[in-house]
Each structure stands twice: as structure tokens, then as C-alpha cells.
Amino acid sequence: MFVTHLESTIDGTRFDADRVWTVHQGRPLWVRYDLAAVKNAVKPSDFGSRVNSLWRYQELLPLPKGVEPVTLGEGMSPLLACPRLGKALGLSRLYIKDESQLPTGSFKSRGMAAAVSMAKHLGLKRLAVPTAGNAGGALAAYGARAGMEVFIFMPDDTPFINQLEAYLCGAKVFLVNGLINDCGKIVREGTDKLGWFDMSTLKEPYRLEGKKTMGLEIAEQFAWKLPDVILYPTGGGTGLIGMWKAFHELQTLDWLKAPKLPRLVSCQSDGCAPIVRAFEKGERFAALFPNANTVASGLRVPMAVGDFMMLDAIKASGGCAIAGREETIVPWMRRAASLEGIAICPETAVCFDALEKLICDGRIGRDEEIVVFNTGAAQKYIEAVKLELPRIDKNQTVDYDKLVHV
Ligand SMILES: *Cc1c(COP(=O)(O)O)cnc(C)c1O
């Protein structure tokens, strides 16, 4: 066990690590490790021969040694070079880190694997979460795997596949006529009555630790020399914040071969861009984004408790927050998949519109090493694309010459 304590993100207050905690003054907690002890226990070259999941980084994860994790084999997603897509954008070194191949088809499984493992370890039995979609699917799966009771609250227009996956995993799923913050209120107010544990983004300390492994994997996959730029679609922000935490831990461990950390680009849809607005105004906290609306359901988060953690990380990295246009989402999903065979989710499509903008105005160089995260699988978003495929009548002669012109 290398965890020393938990620490308030807002005022540094310390808390014991072996107990159940939520937030302090309404703001999240960091998990802190004895990194000198980690450095003595393991070296970067050890990881390659370990289990092919995020649990290979066990010294940098909160679950004590010897405790079995709740796992579905999450992590170690491929880092795919994208020469054809890169060429279309005029880039020489473009990569996609493809999280769509994780259990339940999104990176949310990383956070839930860590958080459900810790919840089980700490003796919790009943879990609840408000979700924009994928977090609910992931919690339902890991809750089922752990034999725990799960309650899920999602907007009534959440993608059908998210409703289905949660239902199939035996969770108690409820549709709410509102957004994720309305669902969050229902979870919060039901906590005393039903005694469930609130698994909301950043309301417990461990989902962030699971998501941190994206940063650790990138470091290992790039042979401990980080890329120049990372584009990440941000909603609640755990992905971005988690990676930034990982990079700092790696720096302290002195495992990185080059001192420079990547510039973090937080991408949102112009239909819901609270972090972009706050970034542009130079503010540390983000105001609620009114009338949030986007098919990139994971980004439909009008207000985030970790807003200042995101904005701090973006600024410290020398990156930026930028909105992609809602109307470019489906064209980019098709463009990326048809050039590279990678089925990107609407959230990631937003990153590509942002990337094109940043290349155009010179904020990203054409020879920089760039990683875009594909945070989820396109196949989960059947409502996002209206399809009109050509039909063939089996009783009529097929005009084969016409087929190539479709
Ligand atoms: C949740 C989600 C996001 C946003 O991630 P955060 O870490 O909450 O900012 C992006 N893409 C997909 C597919 C998601 O499910």
C-alpha cells in the first residue's frame, strides 16, 4: 500500500485513506502516494511483463496489495498511428488512443474499475450514480461483477444503448426529464434515505485514479517520452485531470525521459461549453452553461465540481479549451472511420473540428506529436446518425455498374 492520505483539492486538508470519503467543502479529494517508496519498489521497465490491463500500475493505484480488483480486463488500449487521417489534416505524427475497445465501450470503465474495487474493499454494498450515459453503463457492469446493488439516474433522452447496457446488467435504471445535474440532485437527496454511496464524477476520490492510467499508458507506449499535444473531450473532466495528475507523479518519480509535459487541449461542443467559456474569460471557476444541448452526450455536463481542476491543468500545461461545432460531429465521425477504420464517438469528433482550427491558426504545429483520445465507441450512439442506405429489390435485376457510384 503506497497511499499515504487523501488531500482536499481546495485547501489541502488531509484525510485518512482507509475510510470512505466523499468531498470536502463541496470539492474533490486527491489521493496521495509515497512516491519515494514507489520508486524503490518498481521501475518503468517492470511494467511490460505484467498483466495487460491498467492493474499493471498497481503501485500507483489505491487498492492495497493483495486485494483482488473488480476487473473486466480494462486498460492498455491501443495507441494507433493515423497516417491517412493525419495527411488529410496536414499532420505528420497523429495518433488516436482508442478507448472504444475497453469494457462497455468507453474509458469510463477505467474509473469504475478503480472506484468499484475500492467501494467493495471499504465494505460498501449499494451504489448510485447520475450519468450522461457511459458512466452508468460502466457502473452497472462493474457493480454486477462485484455483486453490488446499483441505482442509475440518467436524462430521459440518453442514448438507447446506455439505457440498455445498464438495464441488462441488472441495475435499477431511472430516466429523468432533465440533465445530469438534475440527476445528481436526486442521488444527493436520496443518500440519507437509501444509504447508497454517491459515485458521481469527483464526488469520490477513486474514479480519478482509474482514469489517471490513461496518462501512465501514454507514457509507457511512447517509451516514457510524452507527446507534444493531447486533445481530450471534456465533460466532468476526470480524464483530463487524471492524466495531468499522472504526468506529475511520473515527473516526481523521475521516470520521464524528457522534462516537457504535453499541452492539454480540452475540447467541448459549442452546444455545451462551460469550460471553454471560463477559459476564454480567464476565470478559474465555470458558470452553468444554459440550455446545454449536444449529441455528444458525454459532454452534456453544464456544470462540473472539478471545473477549477480542469482549468488549472489546462493553463499549467500551456494548452487551451476550445469548442468544436455541433454540425461537424457526424461528418467527422464518418471521415475518421472511413480513413482509419476507427469508429470515433461524437465526443471525439468534436476534438477533430477543434484540431483543424488549432492547426489553421498556428497553435498546433504540423510536425508536432499529437494524440487525440477516442473516449468511446461510435456504435453506442445510434441516435446521432440518420441513415438512408440504398435498397436492393431481390426480385429485380441488379444494375451492378450503378453500385460503384453510391
Ligand atoms: C464521460 C465521457 C467524456 C467526458 O469525460 P470526462 O472525463 O467526464 O470529462 C468524453 N467522452 C465520452 C465518450 C464519455 O463517456
Side-chain angles (χ1 to χ4, degrees):
M1 173 85 169
F2 295 95
V3 174
T4 52
H5 63 282
L6 305 181
E7 181 188 303
S8 163
T9 55
I10 201 86
D11 67 9
T13 308
R14 292 167 70 112
F15 301 89
D16 291 339
D18 54 358
R19 286 177 46 198
V20 179
W21 294 108
T22 55
V23 288
H24 171 68
Q25 294 184 359
R27 296 293 181 171
L29 304 179
W30 298 116
V31 179
R32 294 299 187 198
Y33 298 81
D34 179 350
L35 293 174
V38 171
K39 195 172 163 68
N40 280 331
V42 61
K43 53 186 188 304
S45 57
D46 294 339
F47 297 119
S49 57
R50 290 186 177 181
V51 59
N52 198 42
S53 77
L54 59 78
W55 296 102
R56 63 168 49 193
Y57 305 112
Q58 58 165 329
E59 288 86 354
L60 291 168
L61 289 170
L63 198 66
K65 214 178 169 151
V67 180
E68 275 299 309
V70 179
T71 180
L72 292 164
E74 56 287 335
M76 294 315 290
S77 65
L79 178 70
L80 302 168
C82 294
R84 284 159 53 83
L85 186 52
K87 193 159 171 240
L89 283 159
L91 297 172
S92 62
R93 293 185 294 163
L94 175 67
Y95 296 83
I96 290 181
K97 174 89 168 143
D98 190 10
E99 298 285 301
S100 71
Q101 302 185 30
L102 264 58
T104 71
S106 89
F107 81 106
K108 292 292 196 299
S109 54
R110 292 179 185 272
M112 289 305 179
V116 172
S117 293
M118 284 304 291
K120 188 177 178 200
H121 171 61
L122 293 170
L124 299 168
K125 303 226 153 36
R126 182 180 268 183
L127 309 174
V129 79
T131 177
N134 287 323
L139 178 61
Y142 285 89
R145 188 84 168 149
M148 296 166 94
E149 194 182 7
V150 173
F151 290 76
I152 293 171
F153 301 85
M154 52 174 71
D156 55 8
D157 56 351
T158 298
F160 172 75
I161 301 295
N162 294 133
Q163 303 178 30
L164 176 70
E165 62 185 347
Y167 168 80
L168 290 178
C169 284
K172 295 182 172 65
V173 192
F174 302 91
L175 300 179
V176 177
N177 61 338
L179 291 179
I180 186 170
N181 42 324
D182 302 301
C183 300
K185 186 162 168 265
I186 293 171
V187 170
R188 223 165 34 245
E189 290 176 356
T191 298
D192 287 342
K193 273 214 165 65
L194 289 183
W196 58 42
F197 186 69
D198 186 346
M199 297 285 274
S200 303
T201 298
L202 294 167
K203 298 268 176 79
E204 60 73 54
Y206 302 116
R207 283 175 66 185
L208 187 67
E209 293 303 293
K211 298 198 177 164
K212 182 179 86 177
T213 58
M214 291 187 288
L216 302 177
E217 281 175 28
I218 283 205
E220 188 181 352
Q221 288 170 324
F222 277 112
W224 309 98
K225 216 178 138 283
L226 296 170
D228 297 304
V229 185
I230 294 176
L231 286 93
Y232 201 97
T234 48
T238 46
L240 201 79
I241 300 162
M243 273 193 285
W244 194 239
K245 183 172 190 283
F247 297 153
H248 278 275
E249 290 175 357
L250 292 173
Q251 244 180 2
T252 307
L253 286 160
D254 201 21
W255 285 354
L256 295 175
K257 291 202 174 122
K260 237 182 82 206
L261 299 185
R263 309 199 297 283
L264 297 181
V265 178
S266 160
C267 305
Q268 300 193 302
S269 158
D270 59 5
C272 181
I275 299 303
V276 176
R277 275 201 183 163
F279 180 82
E280 284 170 352
K281 288 190 194 154
E283 287 167 356
R284 192 175 181 225
F285 298 92
L288 180 128
F289 194 92
N291 308 315
N293 187 22
T294 167
V295 296
S297 48
L299 307 185
R300 220 159 45 137
V301 182
M303 183 134 197
V305 280
D307 51 359
F308 68 104
M309 299 159 83
M310 275 184 263
L311 288 157
D312 287 355
I314 296 161
K315 260 175 257 166
S317 77
C320 65
I322 178 168
R325 290 162 298 169
E326 187 69 18
E327 65 270 22
T328 68
I329 287 178
V330 174
W332 266 115
M333 288 174 77
R334 186 125 199 263
R335 199 171 175 199
S338 58
L339 283 173
E340 299 288 357
I342 304 170
I344 66 166
C345 59
E347 290 82 353
T348 294
V350 159
C351 297
F352 280 101
D353 192 39
L355 176 57
E356 206 165 35
K357 229 178 276 176
L358 294 172
I359 299 165
C360 264
D361 59 21
R363 282 191 277 174
I364 286 183
R366 295 187 180 276
D367 290 317
E368 290 198 288
E369 200 161 49
I370 296 158
V371 176
V372 179
F373 269 81
N374 183 27
T375 44
Q379 295 88 337
K380 297 187 86 173
Y381 299 80
I382 49 174
E383 296 91 344
V385 186
K386 296 276 166 290
L387 266 192
E388 288 274 349
L389 296 178
R391 294 183 178 273
I392 289 177
D393 183 344
K394 68 179 181 192
N395 299 314
Q396 302 221 322
T397 318
V398 176
D399 184 348
Y400 286 97
D401 290 331
K402 270 197 177 155
L403 301 191
V404 291
H405 299 299
V406 165

